[in-house]
């Protein structure tokens, strides 16, 4: 007679993926939203230029511009506020919206200091471009991701490359006219790709500038020079915290954008 206690049980009639059908699905995450400081703003906003700073060097450069005013924030519910300071800080996980007051014709800055995952890239891009904010032109500043670049990148050299929407190319006066185009075979993903795609969809002049290296003093100097020469020539870009602050920030880890969105 068989021993039912010690005998090896028969295999399950269910496949492993079928067993997941008995697990209740996770509740959906609340949608991100844009919160403006003025309770009755003139929405939509129509800036002449929207700058979206994503890379560590660009965040550092614009953080130290004194002539900007906080006008709102983009709230991503899954990113906690714990650990953020009362005053805006480079160590915060936040996405603040600023008006650059010394610029002509209205310039807005979106400082993206928090990671945006693949599933959120399109909805965040939609909030920043084309609904409550309808810019005439968009400049996106990110870093070259080594894993996505077809070619060799020397750590001792600095690079700046660009991608543009069709309307930006047709305009005849490129925002970054001295910057070479991103080489064929390389790709950009995540939030930067979603933002540039949003510009293309809405027929907005858009430029994505990616720089190398991802961190460090040389990258900060490169971004500062490009923006001061081509984008905001009349603005004071003096970095009051000095060289030591730049080097410390250059050692900070850049946000990773894990995405399946390509352009």
């Amino acid at each position: 007679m068989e021993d039912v206690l010690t005998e090896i049980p028969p295999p399950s009639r269910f496949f492993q993926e079928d067993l997941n059908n008995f697990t209740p699905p996770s509740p959906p995450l609340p949608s991100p939203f844009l919160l403006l400081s003025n309770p009755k703003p003139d929405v939509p906003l129509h800036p002449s230029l929207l700058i979206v700073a994503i890379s560590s060097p660009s965040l550092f450069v614009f953080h130290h511009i004194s002539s900007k005013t906080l006008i709102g924030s983009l709230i991503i519910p899954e990113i906690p506020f714990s650990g953020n300071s009362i005053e805006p800080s480079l160590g915060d996980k936040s996405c603040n919206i600023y008006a650059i007051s010394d610029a002509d014709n209205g310039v807005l800055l979106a400082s993206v200091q928090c990671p945006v995952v693949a599933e959120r890239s399109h909805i965040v891009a939609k909030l920043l471009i084309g609904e409550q904010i309808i810019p005439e032109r968009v400049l996106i500043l990110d870093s070259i991701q080594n894993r996505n670049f077809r070619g060799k990148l020397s750590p001792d050299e600095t690079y700046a490359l660009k991608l543009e929407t069709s309307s930006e190319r047709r305009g005849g006066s490129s925002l970054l006219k001295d910057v070479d185009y991103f080489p064929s075979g390389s790709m950009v993903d995540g939030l930067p790709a979603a933002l540039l795609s949003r510009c293309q969809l809405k027929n907005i002049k858009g430029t994505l500038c990616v720089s190398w290296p991802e961190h460090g003093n040389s990258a900060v100097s490169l971004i500062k020079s490009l923006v001061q020469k081509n984008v905001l020539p009349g603005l004071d870009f003096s970095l009051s915290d000095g060289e030591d602050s730049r080097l410390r920030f250059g050692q900070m880890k850049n946000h990773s954008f894990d995405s399946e969105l390509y352009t």
Side-chain angles (χ1 to χ4, degrees):
M1 184 176 178
E2 296 179 351
D3 186 351
V4 295
L5 297 178
T6 59
E7 187 183 41
I8 299 175
S12 172
R13 291 177 294 171
F14 296 100
F15 293 106
Q16 186 63 38
E17 55 267 25
D18 292 332
L19 296 176
N20 295 330
N21 295 333
F22 298 97
T23 304
S26 301
L29 290 172
S31 296
F33 59 94
L34 194 61
L35 182 64
L36 298 175
S37 56
N38 187 348
K40 293 184 179 180
D42 296 329
V43 175
L45 303 175
H46 291 277
S48 60
L49 175 66
L50 170 65
I51 301 172
V52 184
I54 301 173
S55 66
S56 292
S58 64
L59 289 171
F60 184 87
V61 168
F62 283 102
H63 177 76
H64 289 85
I65 293 178
S66 58
S67 56
K68 65 181 187 294
T69 304
L70 181 65
I71 64 168
S73 296
L74 192 152
I75 307 299
I76 303 177
E78 65 266 28
I79 297 178
F81 291 103
S82 59
N84 287 356
S85 56
I86 298 176
E87 295 293 328
S89 168
L90 282 172
D92 293 345
K93 289 184 178 180
S94 60
C95 180
N96 289 329
I97 313 296
Y98 298 91
I100 299 181
S101 54
D102 285 358
D104 296 332
N105 301 322
V107 176
L108 294 186
L109 165 70
S111 181
V112 184
Q113 296 182 196
C114 55
V116 179
V117 297
E119 294 78 9
R120 296 299 216 176
S121 293
H122 275 301
I123 190 170
V124 169
K126 191 175 179 181
L127 287 169
L128 289 176
I129 301 172
E131 290 190 344
Q132 295 186 65
I133 302 175
I134 304 178
E136 296 177 18
R137 206 170 208 168
V138 175
L139 173 63
I140 308 150
L141 298 170
D142 193 28
S143 294
I144 297 174
Q145 302 299 308
N146 203 358
R147 67 182 184 274
N148 294 338
F149 189 77
R150 186 176 182 181
K152 292 184 179 180
L153 293 167
S154 170
D156 300 322
E157 296 184 39
T158 57
Y159 304 91
L161 302 165
K162 68 181 178 182
L163 288 168
E164 294 174 333
T165 61
S166 301
S167 57
E168 178 72 20
R169 288 198 179 195
R170 288 195 305 264
S173 57
S174 176
L175 190 63
L176 302 177
K177 52 182 175 293
D178 298 328
V179 177
D180 293 331
Y181 286 100
F182 203 54
S184 176
S186 301
M187 65 182 179
V188 175
D189 61 5
L191 181 61
L195 289 165
L196 194 64
S197 299
R198 182 72 178 165
C199 291
Q200 180 71 22
L201 179 66
K202 304 296 288 185
N203 198 28
I204 294 172
K205 293 181 178 180
T207 301
L208 168 59
C209 178
V210 289
S211 60
W212 175 267
E214 295 181 70
H215 320 282
N217 183 49
S218 61
V220 170
S221 298
L222 175 63
I223 294 301
K224 176 186 171 185
S225 175
L226 281 175
V227 175
Q228 191 169 29
K229 178 182 177 181
N230 299 281
V231 186
L232 300 171
L235 205 63
D236 181 14
F237 279 86
S238 57
L239 302 181
S240 58
D241 285 4
E243 197 76 9
D244 289 342
S245 175
R246 263 204 257 190
L247 292 174
R248 284 197 304 272
F249 183 72
Q251 295 169 357
M252 291 174 62
K253 252 183 135 180
N254 198 16
H255 307 305
S256 64
F257 297 94
D258 182 17
S259 177
E260 297 173 356
L261 306 174
Y262 304 104
T263 183

